[in-house]
Every structure is written in C-alpha cells, then in structure tokens.
Amino acid sequence: MAMSKPGILFIHGFPFDHAMWRHQVAALADRTCLVPDLQGAGSATAPTSPDAYSMAVYARDLIALLDERGIDSAVVCGLSMGGYVTFELLRKFPTRVRAAILCNTKSAADAAEVKRGRDALAEKARSNGASAVAEELVPKTLSRTTLERNPAVVRDVRSMIERQQVDGIVGALHALRERPDSTPLLDKIRVPVLVVAGSDDQITPAAGMREMARAIPGAEFSLIQDAGHLSPLEQPGAFNSALRGFLAKLL
Ligand code: MLT
C-alpha cells in the first residue's frame, strides 16, 4: 500500500498571517497543507488581554487543529515567530512533529533591550494603529533587492501588516518577549530539520542561523539569496525548491 505524504503545518511570523505562505500552498497542491492564523492574527479571534498570548497557547491551538483534522504528526514549517512556536511543539509535543523547517528564526530568548523594543512597539500599535507598525517593520523585514526591485511584494507585506488587529499585535509582542530560550533544545531534536535563511535578513541574520543548524543533529541548511526576513514571499522559487528537496527525502 502506498504511504500517504505527510501533511504540512505552516506557521506564520509576526505581525503576519496565513497569507504569507500562499506561494508554498500553491506549489504543494498534492499535499495536505494546514495554514492557520495564530490567535489574534488575520481573521482569528483576538483576546484583549496580552496575558492570553504565549508560545504555549499558540502551540496548544495548533495541536487542537491537528487533532481536529485527524493528523498524528505533521511536517511543521515555521517562520520567525512561527519557528519559536515550532520549538514549543518540539519541546512539548515531540511525537506530533514528523520533521521541522525552521525559516528565518532563532533559538535565543529576547535580551532586555529587545524586550524594551517590544514594549515600545506595543505602545506604538496602541496609539497609532497597525499602519505605524507596518511603517517601522517593512524596511527591516525585506531585503534591499525586494525593497528596490519588487514593489508588489513591498505593497503586499505592508497591507498584510496593516490589516492585523491591534489586540493581536500587542498580544503577540507579549508572547514574543516572554518566550523561553530554545537553545538547550537544539541538540535534543531527533527529527529531520531544514534551516532556511535569507542572505539579507536583518532580523535573524544568516550567520546565526547557520550556527543554529550546526547545533541540531543532522540538520540541513539552505541560504536563499536576495531574501530578507520573509524568504517564502520574497524568493518563492528558491524557497520552494529547498522545501521540495527536503520533503522529497522524507518519503
Ligand atoms: C517574526 O517575523 O515573527 C518576528 O520578526 C519575530 C521577532 O520579532 O522575534
């Protein structure tokens, strides 16, 4: 009997939603792809209290989704904050993760200065709305190549941030600042892992991601040229070929 291909759970970053994975979902039409909005993102319900948000809550909701769909274990592909959630799944629900793809992410928790930046951004979101968050983050998120030569992607990313709910943005910032350090987990990971970095990522630089890949037993590393922090959207062709190459080896 032919084995069915494992489903893929895509987990978006901050402050984005499921739409950031659309090129991957289109390219993997032969697979079950789960592309949820995390609590407070996209069209998902956004509790008003920031305390309601954490990596543990995001992970719990995703396990409930796998249960609902009758999926024992999935390939989990998370970008940045989605990578932090992937670490949480690997820590708390290791048997539910068939393999992991860690995109534009890092294992370390926030340093004190970064936490202060989270608080300032939350304040900005409360006072001036999601468009002020977009104004601050778009130039940091995209590569120079994307900013200079790909206005459609710039517009797309800006409008994705602008449509986010302020409560969801503030809640996610709380979850980010309180997340645990996942570095002690790295050498305990026992599933196949692909680490994907962008050559021009200012938020999670490629050098740190290469180091992270070295700390995970057997992990593969792929560098996407001319991509910033949103490699699946900025360079979908190169990203998808790395993704497909990794998935092909899992069967
Ligand atoms: C993300 O893309 O999810 C964020 O850059 C995560 C972070 O700010 O740590």
Side-chain angles (χ1 to χ4, degrees):
M1 198 175 71
M3 294 271 286
S4 67
K5 295 176 181 176
I8 307 176
L9 172 62
F10 288 97
I11 314 177
H12 62 78
F14 165 85
F16 312 119
D17 60 33
H18 72 280
M20 59 153 286
W21 297 112
R22 67 178 176 286
H23 299 295
Q24 287 64 52
V25 175
L28 296 172
D30 56 333
R31 300 216 175 218
T32 301
C33 291
L34 302 184
V35 198
D37 286 334
L38 295 173
Q39 174 177 272
S43 58
T45 305
T48 49
S49 167
D51 292 335
Y53 297 76
S54 65
M55 294 303 143
V57 165
Y58 293 143
R60 179 205 67 194
D61 290 351
L62 294 172
I63 292 297
L65 175 66
L66 292 183
D67 289 347
E68 198 181 294
R69 297 291 297 265
I71 296 174
D72 288 339
S73 72
V75 178
V76 180
C77 178
L79 182 135
S80 199
M81 182 173 80
Y84 313 152
V85 181
T86 305
F87 288 133
E88 186 74 9
L89 290 169
L90 285 163
R91 199 166 23 244
K92 302 254 184 71
F93 307 95
T95 61
R96 310 301 296 269
V97 183
R98 164 80 179 80
I101 304 164
L102 298 166
C103 317
N104 305 85
T105 194
K106 57 175 176 264
S107 59
D110 281 359
E113 191 192 331
V114 178
K115 289 188 184 195
R116 281 195 289 276
R118 304 276 190 212
D119 296 341
L121 190 58
E123 200 39 56
K124 184 181 271 191
R126 279 200 191 92
S127 313
N128 301 322
S131 58
V133 174
E135 200 56 40
E136 177 168 329
L137 293 186
V138 167
K140 294 183 188 162
T141 299
L142 300 172
S143 69
R144 272 179 295 276
T145 305
T146 304
L147 288 167
E148 286 165 15
R149 299 198 211 143
N150 207 336
V153 171
V154 179
R155 268 196 308 276
D156 196 24
V157 171
R158 182 180 297 280
S159 71
M160 181 163 50
I161 299 176
E162 285 174 350
R163 69 173 174 252
Q164 300 306 315
Q165 308 166 75
V166 168
D167 285 335
I169 291 176
V170 173
L173 285 163
H174 175 80
L176 287 165
R177 85 192 290 293
E178 298 303 321
R179 76 184 189 280
D181 180 10
S182 293
T183 311
L185 174 75
L186 298 180
D187 68 357
K188 298 180 184 64
I189 297 175
R190 293 289 177 267
V191 294
V193 172
L194 170 66
V195 172
V196 185
S199 67
D200 193 17
D201 185 343
Q202 304 170 54
I203 298 175
T204 47
M209 293 203 61
R210 197 185 285 274
E211 288 271 293
M212 186 177 82
R214 283 201 192 105
I216 302 173
E220 294 177 33
F221 177 78
S222 178
L223 182 66
I224 309 293
Q225 294 299 333
D226 294 325
H229 192 56
L230 274 177
S231 53
L233 256 186
E234 296 183 69
Q235 298 294 342
F239 184 94
N240 288 353
S241 78
L243 180 61
R244 279 187 180 290
F246 178 70
L247 292 174
K249 283 184 260 174
L250 294 180
L251 297 178

